[in-house]
Amino acid sequence: MVDACVRRDGRGGSPTAVTDDDPAATDADRRAVAAAAGTSHAAFLGPGRTSDGGWPVRFFTATAELSGCGHGTVAAQAVRLTRTPLGELNDRQHTGGRTFDTVAIRRPAGIEVWFDQGLVALRHPAPDERAAIVAAIGLGADDPHPTDAPRIAAPGAPRMLVPVHDRTALFRVRPHLGRLTAACRRYGLLGCFVYVPPVGDQPGAARMFAPAIGVDEDVANANSTGCLAAHLLDTTGGQTIVIEVEQGDTLGRPASVLASARSGPAGITTRVGGLAVVRDGHRRHN
């Protein structure tokens, strides 16, 4: 069990089950692990490297396999580091058909993990798409952000980023989960990331709702934080940006995710990071 993306003081984080994959297991068996562990996600570590040098890692909720999981990657790479005597592990992970760079570093408060999220595609939602999602999350008349607008961001799986005015509006959000599930499935969205943008040195805040994949509200959605960094960089027209976003407060599990975005010839690429605490389970040296 790993608390992924804890706050700087080591509090909270998203509980994540991490285990070695069993080649004989079925996907139904893997989905059952998350349900039995009582975690929103479970990470399964493959036994050997792929042809391009990546360690295979698969992610499951109780209802589906995911093409990627940010806080799950933080948890998986933290466990991989604990299985070595190293202070820092630079490696590559293979998930969802993509191999990417990772780094895990021992820190006094836990294990700091960063990974390359890759290119993030951005687009404006169609009017009916936007209306359906906004209606499903139940925003009040004064809740939307006055200058920012919803955006679709896809580092692979697309999700809608919906800005609100302040943290009071964020904590007031009470989505209609049935309507949100139907809307996300209709438009092919992973879920909805409702956020307050960071301002200066003040972290942003966010809540992620993804009932269509069996996660009514996520403690920490690291990939969506990377998407937000890409969106903010795109709207400001800069070359680089680094943000911190606090999550999980409404669930009693305070979490924090870091992300950086860089503009390049191919588009906007991002890196996502978080601090993990490995709570229990056996440790093995490879």
Side-chain angles (χ1 to χ4, degrees), residues 25-42 44 58-66 213:
T26 67
D27 285 355
D29 295 330
R30 297 181 178 97
R31 292 194 297 271
V33 169
T39 61
S40 61
H41 301 71
F44 296 82
R58 297 175 70 184
F59 299 104
F60 286 80
T61 68
T63 60
E65 181 174 9
L66 305 180
I213 61 167

Side-chain angles (χ1 to χ4, degrees), residues 47-262:
R49 294 184 183 273
T50 57
S51 59
D52 57 3
W55 282 101
V57 182
R58 297 175 70 184
F59 299 104
F60 286 80
T61 68
T63 60
E65 181 174 9
L66 305 180
S67 60
C69 180
H71 75 267
T73 294
V74 171
Q77 293 303 321
V79 169
R80 290 207 64 244
L81 178 60
T82 66
R83 293 177 170 184
T84 79
L86 301 174
E88 179 174 331
L89 178 64
N90 290 274
D91 215 329
R92 288 170 66 74
Q93 177 175 313
H94 181 86
T95 296
R98 188 174 77 92
T99 299
F100 50 93
D101 292 336
T102 64
V103 59
I105 307 166
R106 295 182 192 269
R107 302 292 192 196
I111 297 174
E112 180 181 345
V113 176
W114 286 85
F115 65 92
D116 289 337
Q117 191 178 31
L119 282 169
V120 176
L122 298 165
R123 68 173 176 85
H124 296 285
D128 59 334
E129 186 178 25
R130 171 177 172 170
I133 297 296
V134 170
I137 59 177
L139 294 185
D142 297 327
D143 291 341
H145 195 276
T147 59
D148 205 354
R151 202 85 180 273
I152 304 293
R159 75 281 326 269
M160 187 178 291
L161 313 177
V162 178
V164 292
H165 188 273
D166 53 26
R167 292 191 181 220
T168 299
L170 177 67
F171 297 152
R172 204 164 42 225
V173 171
R174 295 291 183 270
H176 187 291
L177 296 175
R179 293 174 64 184
L180 183 58
T181 297
C184 286
R185 289 176 176 168
R186 183 184 316 131
Y187 296 106
L189 300 176
L190 178 75
C192 180
F193 191 68
V194 187
Y195 70 93
V196 179
V199 178
D201 294 333
Q202 181 181 358
R207 298 173 68 188
M208 176 65 174
F209 304 102
I213 61 167
V215 182
D216 291 348
E217 182 171 355
D218 214 351
V219 173
N221 196 279
N223 277 327
S224 291
T225 302
C227 290
L228 178 58
H231 162 65
L232 295 175
L233 182 64
D234 185 60
T235 56
T236 59
Q239 290 298 308
T240 61
I241 192 173
V242 179
I243 65 170
E244 179 180 3
V245 175
E246 295 178 344
Q247 303 173 34
D249 292 286
T250 56
L251 300 174
R253 296 288 306 184
S256 180
V257 182
L258 302 170
S260 64
R262 179 181 297 274

